[in-house]
Amino acid sequence: MIYRYNATTKAWDHISGNLKWVSVGKKDLVWGVNEDDLIYRYNAATGKWDHISGSLTQLEVSASGVVWGVNKSDEVFRFDAATSKWERMAGSLRRVSLSSSKNVWGV
């Protein structure tokens, strides 16, 4: 289940879909991963989730739209918006977090 907090009603609004991980860069810049490690990006115009190629266990998106993630083998990836492909990055991590393309952390 997916929920978005509504500050006006002070309640959680149900959003269609089923994710195990969600990351929000800004209001309509939302990415997530489901139980099968499939990747989705929220389409605010349709209110639906668009499938993105690849397989990740966790990801993070910044306010500017930069997306990094890790897979079940602890490999690290960055999404290239120009090519719509994932670029393998150096290192091995279980989780990533970022605020920008130049401020990325991991464990």
Side-chain angles (χ1 to χ4, degrees):
M1 305 277 281
I2 306 165
Y3 296 92
R4 175 178 50 207
Y5 184 72
N6 184 322
T8 303
T9 64
K10 297 184 177 158
W12 292 94
D13 295 334
H14 179 257
I15 307 298
S16 67
N18 191 16
L19 299 175
K20 69 176 181 179
W21 190 274
V22 66
S23 180
V24 181
K26 61 182 177 181
K27 181 180 177 185
D28 292 329
L29 189 58
V30 185
W31 287 61
V33 176
N34 73 6
E35 289 294 330
D36 295 322
D37 297 338
L38 298 177
I39 305 160
Y40 292 90
R41 178 176 50 206
Y42 186 69
N43 185 326
T46 65
K48 298 190 183 290
W49 295 92
D50 295 332
H51 179 255
I52 305 297
S53 65
S55 177
L56 297 173
T57 56
Q58 183 261 339
L59 58 73
E60 290 290 332
V61 58
S62 73
S64 64
V66 175
V67 183
W68 284 60
V70 294
N71 67 13
K72 65 182 176 183
S73 299
D74 298 337
E75 295 173 317
V76 182
F77 293 88
R78 177 178 61 193
F79 188 72
D80 184 336
T83 64
S84 294
K85 294 186 179 181
W86 293 96
E87 176 186 1
R88 173 79 165 92
M89 307 303 287
S92 178
L93 299 169
R94 295 188 52 97
R95 299 279 185 254
V96 292
S97 184
L98 65 141
S99 64
S100 70
S101 62
K102 296 181 181 180
N103 191 26
V104 182
W105 291 63
V107 292

